[in-house]
Structures are given as structure tokens and as C-alpha cells.
Amino acid sequence: MKPSLKIEGLTKIYASAGTGPKGGVNDIDVDLPAGTFFTLLGPSGCGKTTTLRCLAGLEMPDAGRISVDGRILFDDASHTFVPANHRNFGMVFQSYAIWPHMSVFENVAFPLRVAKDRKFSSTEVKEMVERALNTVSLSGYGSRPATQLSGGQQQRVALARAIVRQPKLLLLDEPLSNLDASLRDEMCTELRRLQRETGITTIYVTHDQTEALEMSDKIAVMEAGRVVQCASPREIYRAPATMFVADFVGSTNWFEGQVAGREGRDLLVRVGDGVTIACRTDRPIADSGTVRIAVRPEAITVHGDGAAINGNGNRLAGKIQSVGFLGSMTRYVIEAAAWRCLVFEHRDQQFAEGMTVSLSFAAEDALVF
Amino acid sequence: MTHIQTRNASVSAWPRLWLGQPLGQGNVLAFVLVVVLALLVLPPLLVLLRISFTEFHAGFREGGFTFQHYVGLIQSNTLFRSTVNSVLFAALSTVISLIFGGILAWLVERTDVRFKPLAFLTSVVSMGTPYILYVTGWLFLLGKAGPLNRTWFELTGSPANLFEVNSLAGMVLVEGFLWSPLVFLLLSATFRAANAEMEEAARMSGASVADTILRVSFQLARPAIVALALFVFIRNLEAFEVPALVGIPGNVSVLTTEIYRGMKHMPPDIGFVSAYAMVMVAVIAILLHYYGKLSDRAERFASITGKGFRPRPFRLGRLRWLGGGIILFNFFIVLVLPLGAIFWMSVLPFVQPIRPSAFRAITWENYQRVLTDSYYWGLAGNTLIVAGTVATLVVALTFLTGWVVARRKRGARIIDQLVTVPLVFPGLVLGIAMLQLALRAPVPIYGTLWIIILGFIIRYVPYGMRYSFSGVLQIHTELEQAAAVSGANTREMLFKVVAPLLVPALASGWIFVFLIATKEMSMPLLLAGAQSQTIPVAMFELWTSGQSGEVAALGLIWAAAMTVLSASFYALTRQASAATFGK
């Protein structure tokens, strides 16, 4: 398939007086097929919004190349810079940026009214705005003043405005961060449905890993201005490329120990007195030295002391430190070989604080860094 | 439940105040504030109202009720002409200062224009400079001996001036320039608080820069601009310095100068003047009513801006130099030229055109006289005492009223209304009212600094209120509730929690009131006795008696000192949010 969005070597450094570079992005490469829901994920200040704004044309990158559907929008080599208003992208801002001096209808119709490439007749405008409002389930709200909208409605209007002109790219800058939890879940589903229906390539910026995992086809995890891993949500979660990714996406239990040798495909790591963890890894790792091991909380199973354990994975003795009942599951904090482990158990089994238990997890679930 | 209710009812049945709530610290505070405010703001209004309906016999003996002053007013041939002049003068100079200050504010706050610091320098210096000093500078520049008319004379040899400054046009120009720095400061607060994402959303929707400015930026700022325009219009209606210094010599009379003329007439027809003043007060009250509505609307617009605010300026591209040119032009027109003209006047024994022969006459004598004569030191002392006392008392009073109103405590509505009453007085009219009160006062305060201080307190309570009110709004109520839960009573909560948090807002308010009290001429003009003159009043008298050199030297020294203060005010308000920016 023809690539829809291609970013090569995008660099934008913010200099601050005296103290040198202060954030920005460095050498970003992204290549997306059309129709992808793509998420830029990372902590605040990692450069995800800067990347989005460079893409939008609201910032002038220092170097690199951006093209959409083969059309070059920015290229420092040939001094090409297409201004934001000529890119035909839709964008939803963090604050929604709904103009208070216009009605809902006029807000949504604005991109059609200022369009330079073609004139839209008033019936066309009416039809297209109705359709956009319908898509975001706001039909009938057209005549409302923008000042009389709830947060969720403002966001829907912002979405309708962004998609009304069938943009090549839809840019979403943390659109859910100003909504309360229940509304956020609802809008999450809505956004995904809308993107599927319209098929618009969507770039989504968030610091919320749950949103990112749930909605995206592809996620780029960013750290300090660089993309550290760009992959499907499953891969990001199952096979994080760096310790930062493992830590930032999902919860992780960390063990640290010395490499003690190999056993078949597994690397053996001693994490305490007489306690060894077998890790299956494809990565070339030296047969000695200190490594860190990451294990997801839900990969660990808790067994009563002395209970028979099937299979031949890793086994650790532990002591329950605290128990938290969360309804759909139970969260245990367990001390095992001097490490604190977080474990999520869905089974109805009950362990009390202070009980001695066994932990088991497969070698495949132990990731080495 | 029932038991508790009965208990409450029986408690409240005993020490009920006029508001129907049990007597508590809050109610005592509200009661005291209402009484103090009413005693401050109502007497000037009532005394003018009474005099305007009172018959006077020879020797100022008061007679009975009469409509004759109002009838005389309608029959007089000056009312219509001066009203038309006033409205024209106020409207046109409003337009000039809005265009000047507005474009400047937008350029500085929302674009990558050059020379931004110059725009701030201009407004900081003008905050500290007495209006009368600027006006004299302009009178020289545009006057007969000024460079404009002089060059015209050299070129054509015609004795007629190219531009007659003592005309309505001259008044409009000078007043417009005078107000543009304040318009700049207020509108830059509006533009600074604007959510840049609103403009970026328009750009992303495909709007060009021009479309974005016209359809979004300007429309969003429009309510604030319209409200500000009405505010400046009202202040221009009340203006006295420019009409007196520029208009009177050219026989252009406006409402305020007509009132002044009536007072200076011997013997003053105080009933007629009061009727005149009451008409002005009524008109201004109506305009203020609309101003309140407009600024409410502006705030509603402002309040829906979002969280994700980061100021991101427009790139002007090739127009960047044009923008820089506009800022330089403003810098020269509003700051360099008038101050240069004043400096020129200050080093000459008498006013002369700028020409080589005049350079031989340059002397520092005016400065020497100003710095050594105890008369001038006395003036400075008077002005500092008045401004310092007024600022301190206004801030102290409005700290309490601001809190009561912002927190909608008992009595908030009536206090809020009382606080806004002084806004209806033009400075000159308040001066007349205070003069009449002083003449009738049981204590001898006529001609002392005290009557000026009292007048200024009344006049500036609304300004102080703006600072404390918006300051309190920014303090989360839970901070106060936490103090109450910890066992603090209202007084402890106010002085140990609210006051320390309000320090930045109150300090800004203090300096603002201090500065305008040192600048204002029209209110103390009629009140000052021989020993109680303030600097602007003395400058007015020196100027009208032809001592321009000393006026200029005194004014420059004073303006330099006040600019230091004004710069600290500016630094403080930059830190505080845009909302605290008073008007």
C-alpha cells in the first residue's frame, strides 16, 4: 500500500536562553500506511506535542522531511514549508478551541467557509455540517451558542470541525485529558468508531498508556525527544524495547541480578541467595554481568504454600505484604527474594497478609534488559 | 433535626441585625463596611443634588427648593455647544487611542515584531508622568513656536499656522495620545490571556492569516475592545487637563471646562454649576451601566478559554519591519517627542522655537531653582503625603470590601454598589462636591491636605477594589475553609491567610493608586489651598502664569522619580495574572 504519512529525520530543538537546548524532538522517523490510527505516547515534555505541531505546520522544524500521500509538506533540504492552512488537516486541540462568538453550526462550517481551493454553496455547507454533526452524534445542536456546551459536547464539536472537510490527516492533541473518567471511556470508543468509519489516518497524542493501547493500530513511545519504540500495542506491551518502555507502558515488576549461565534457550539470572530466574530471550546478552528482569504483574500466578505447581516455569517463594480487593481482581504486594512484586489475580483464591506463598511465571514472560 | 432548627431559630431571634442573620463577626464586618462606605461616597452626591435644587440669596444664604438652576441650564446657550464638543472630543480621541494602543498591543503580544521593549518602556514612563506635563509638551510641539508650525513658517513665510493646536482637532490628538499607553496595557492583558489554540484552530481549518485575524482573533477580542472603548469614552468625557490647557485658549468649551469656568466666575454661581455637574453625573451613570453590561459579556467570552495555553506569536514575515516601524513611531510620538519638547523648554528661560540662536540661551537655572527652592520641596512632600496616605487607606479598605464582595458574604451586593458610586464623578465635579462639603464641615478642613486626601480616597476606592476583588477570586475558597476548620475566626482567617496571599494584588493596587494620585490635577485643583498644593496643581498654576521653564524642569524630575515606581508596578503586574490588571 502507498504510504500515507512519511516523516524522516524530523528535528526541532527549543533553545532556552543560557541553558542550551531545552526539549524538542530529535531525528524522528515514521512511516504509516493510509487509514492507520497512530499514537504518540510518552510522558510530558517528551516531544510528542512538538512532533504533532510540526506535522500540523504550526511549528517550523529545524530539519527533516514530512510528506503526506507523496506531497512534500516540509523539507529543509529544498526549503519547502507548506503553511498550516494549506495542508488540509483536521485538528482537535487540548482545550478544544471552540470559538465562543460562533454557534455550533458556524464553528463546524468555518473550514468550509474559509476554504480557498473551492467554493462551497450554502446547501453544500449545510449538508456537510449536518453530516459531520451527525457523525459525532450532535445532530440538532447546530443553532446552539458555543458557550452553552458541556466539555464532552465541546469536544464533539471540535471533532466535527476537524472532519467536516474530509482532511487527509486527523491530528488529536490529548483530546481526552480534560474530560472526566466515564466520559473519557465513552469518547475513547467513539473516536475509534469514528476513525474506522471515516478511514482517516489519525495521529493521536497522549500520555495515557491505557488510551494508547486500546485505540491504536501503531504506537510510537517517545522519551526525551526520541522515538524509542514504534510498534503495535501488543508488541509494545509484550516485548518492550527498552526499560523505559517496559516501565511506562503497563506495570512491571523489576528484578536485578547476575547472569549465571544458560540452560537451553533460557538465560539464568541469580536474583538472590539461591534464587535463579530463567528468562527466554532472543537478544544477544553477555554470559556475565548485571541485568534487569521485567515481569508483568498478570503473568505471575500465586499459589498456596506447598500446593502442586504444573509446568516447569520459574518458581519463587514469597510472603504476602498487602492485599487489595479491586472487585474484578485482587492486587497482592508480595516480597520474593528481597524484591517487591505486584501481582494481579483474577481467580477467586484468597490469600491473607503475612501468608507464605509461591509465585510462578513462564520463562517467556521474564524479559531481560 | 427539628431540635437543632428550633435552637437556631431561638438564637437568631435575639441579636438580629438588619439582614436577618444571627450576629456574628461577618455581619459586624459587613455592617461597619456599609456604614463607612456610605459615609464616604454618598455625601458628595447628596450635597451636589441638594445645592442644585436650592435657591441662593445674596451672600450665599440658602433659600428654599427651586428648579431655577436646571431651567437656567436649559436656557443657557453653552450647554448644547459644550455637550456636542464633549461628545465629539471624547469619541474621536477614544478612536485614536484605541487604534494606536490596540494595534500596538496586538503586535507586542501576538506577533514576533521587533522593538517590543520600547512599547513597554513607553507605557511605563507614561504611567509615571503627570498628564499636564505631556500636554505642555504637546502644546509646544504643535503650537506656534513648535517645529511643525515653525517649519511651515520657514517654508512659506505665511504667518498662519499649519496646524492650530488650540482647537478641537488639537484636543483630540493630544488626548488620544495621552490614553494610548493605558489602552495598550489593558488590551495587551486581553491579548495575552487569549487562548492561542483558538487562532491555531482557524489556521488548521484552512484560514489564511488575514482570515484568522478578522474572523477569530478580532472577534474574540471584540467584547473586551468595545467595553474598553466605552470606558475610555467615559474617561474622556470627564477629562479636564486637555480641555483646560488646549481648549480654553482656543475658546473650545466642553462640559468640564464650562463647569470650571462657572466655578472661577466671581461670585461663583454654585447652584448653576451643581446642576451642570448633576447632568454630567447622570449621563456618566447611564454610560457606566452599559459599561458594566459590556464588560460582563467580555468576561463570559474570556472565561471559556482552555487550559492548554502557551503563547505562540504570529510570524509577520516580511511585515515584521512594518510592525517594528509602528512601534518605533509610537515610541517617538508618545514618548520621545513630548519629553524632548519638555526638556527643551526646561533648559530655556522662556519658550523659544528650536533654532540655532536659541542654543546660546540654554541654562540649567530652572533645574537649580526647582531643586533648591523650598517651595518645590514642599510640593513634593505634599504630593507624597497625599498619595501615600490615600493608597494605604484605599488598599486597607478595599482589602475588606473586596473579600466580602468576592466571597458573596452578607452585604456584598450593597457594598459592591456603594463602591462603584464614585465612578460617576468626573474629578472636577468631585472637587466641587468636596469643596462644598469642606465649607459646611464642622471641622476646619477647608484648604488643608485632609480634604484632598478624603476626596482621593472616595475617588480611588473603585480602583483599589478591582485589584483586591480579582486577587481574592484567585485564592481558592478551600484555603479559607481550611483556616476555619483549624479553628480560626473570621479576623484571624482574613489576616493570617487571606492577607498574606493577597500581598501581590494589594501591592499592585497600592502602587497604581499612588501613581494616579500623584498625577491627577482636576480634583485637587479647586481644593488646594496655598499650603496644600500638589505637584500637578502647582504645575497647572505655573503654566497658566507663563512659567513654562520651571514647569518643565519640575515635571521632568518628578516624572523620572515616578517612573521608577511605575516600573516596579509593571514588574508586579506582569507576575500577577491578566485578571488583576485594573483599569
Side-chain angles (χ1 to χ4, degrees), chain A residues 57-297:
Chain A
L58 294 170
E59 299 284 349
M60 173 81 80
D62 297 330
R65 207 172 131 100
I66 301 170
S67 62
V68 170
D69 288 347
R71 180 188 176 210
I72 293 174
L73 298 175
F74 172 75
D75 185 6
D76 68 307
S78 64
H79 298 287
T80 310
F81 179 79
V82 177
N85 53 325
H86 293 301
R87 295 195 178 190
N88 189 16
F89 292 170
M91 182 159 175
V92 174
F93 289 84
Q94 203 171 1
S95 67
Y96 315 137
I98 299 300
W99 301 304
H101 59 291
M102 297 180 193
S103 65
V104 167
F105 184 92
E106 281 306 319
N107 261 285
V108 179
F110 186 86
L112 306 174
R113 299 213 193 279
V114 296
K116 293 285 181 294
D117 44 347
R118 62 166 291 205
K119 272 261 160 285
F120 293 91
S121 71
S122 62
T123 41
E124 265 180 309
V125 170
K126 203 163 181 286
E127 258 173 44
M128 290 169 82
V129 171
E130 287 302 330
R131 200 181 317 137
L133 283 176
N134 211 10
T135 316
V136 297
S137 327
L138 272 186
S139 41
Y141 280 78
S143 56
R144 283 245 191 140
T147 41
Q148 290 173 18
L149 294 175
S150 68
Q153 288 168 335
Q154 282 189 39
Q155 162 156 66
R156 284 164 194 269
V157 174
L159 253 177
R161 183 176 67 191
I163 59 169
V164 69
R165 216 165 47 138
Q166 278 118 22
K168 292 212 168 62
L169 219 54
L170 180 61
L171 309 176
L172 306 171
D173 185 7
E174 307 224 12
L176 305 183
S177 62
N178 287 343
L179 297 180
D180 56 44
S182 63
L183 206 55
R184 196 177 312 168
D185 285 347
E186 189 191 321
M187 281 312 293
C188 212
T189 324
E190 277 280 303
L191 271 178
R192 193 69 183 113
R193 175 189 63 80
L194 196 132
Q195 197 265 340
R196 288 270 147 78
E197 277 177 17
T198 55
I200 303 173
T201 311
T202 301
I203 318 292
Y204 185 87
V205 161
T206 184
H207 62 262
D208 185 319
Q209 39 115 359
T210 330
E211 282 172 22
L213 293 173
E214 184 179 348
M215 296 162 80
S216 324
D217 295 319
K218 203 172 180 185
I219 297 175
V221 183
M222 294 187 68
E223 182 193 8
R226 289 175 188 278
V227 173
V228 285
Q229 188 173 13
C230 185
S232 71
R234 238 166 252 281
E235 209 183 324
I236 297 268
Y237 190 81
R238 293 264 168 81
T242 67
M243 289 198 282
F244 171 80
V245 177
D247 228 13
F248 190 75
V249 182
S251 323
T252 302
N253 293 307
W254 289 102
F255 300 90
E256 197 178 280
Q258 304 294 321
V259 175
R262 286 186 180 271
E263 191 182 274
R265 286 196 289 154
D266 298 344
L267 189 76
L268 299 179
V269 180
R270 191 181 316 114
V271 296
D273 282 340
V275 187
T276 305
I277 294 178
C279 319
R280 189 150 305 163
T281 174
D282 304 326
R283 277 180 251 213
I285 283 171
D287 282 350
S288 64
T290 310
V291 292
R292 298 188 74 189
I293 301 169
V295 186
R296 295 291 186 194

Side-chain angles (χ1 to χ4, degrees), chain A residues 49 53 56 58-59 84-85 89 91 93-95 97-102 110-111 113-114 116 161 165 178, chain B residues 195 197-198 200-209 211 215-216 219-220 301 304 306-308 310 312 315:
Chain A
T49 297
R53 293 175 57 78
L58 294 170
E59 299 284 349
N85 53 325
F89 292 170
M91 182 159 175
F93 289 84
Q94 203 171 1
S95 67
I98 299 300
W99 301 304
H101 59 291
M102 297 180 193
F110 186 86
R113 299 213 193 279
V114 296
K116 293 285 181 294
R161 183 176 67 191
R165 216 165 47 138
N178 287 343
Chain B
N195 181 354
E197 288 192 346
M198 294 283 183
E200 289 177 354
R203 298 282 286 149
M204 292 310 294
S205 302
S208 61
V209 174
D211 267 338
R215 288 171 179 251
V216 176
Q219 299 298 332
L220 285 175
F301 258 44
I304 94 159
K307 291 182 194 168
R310 264 173 298 170
R312 284 176 288 257
R315 281 190 197 82

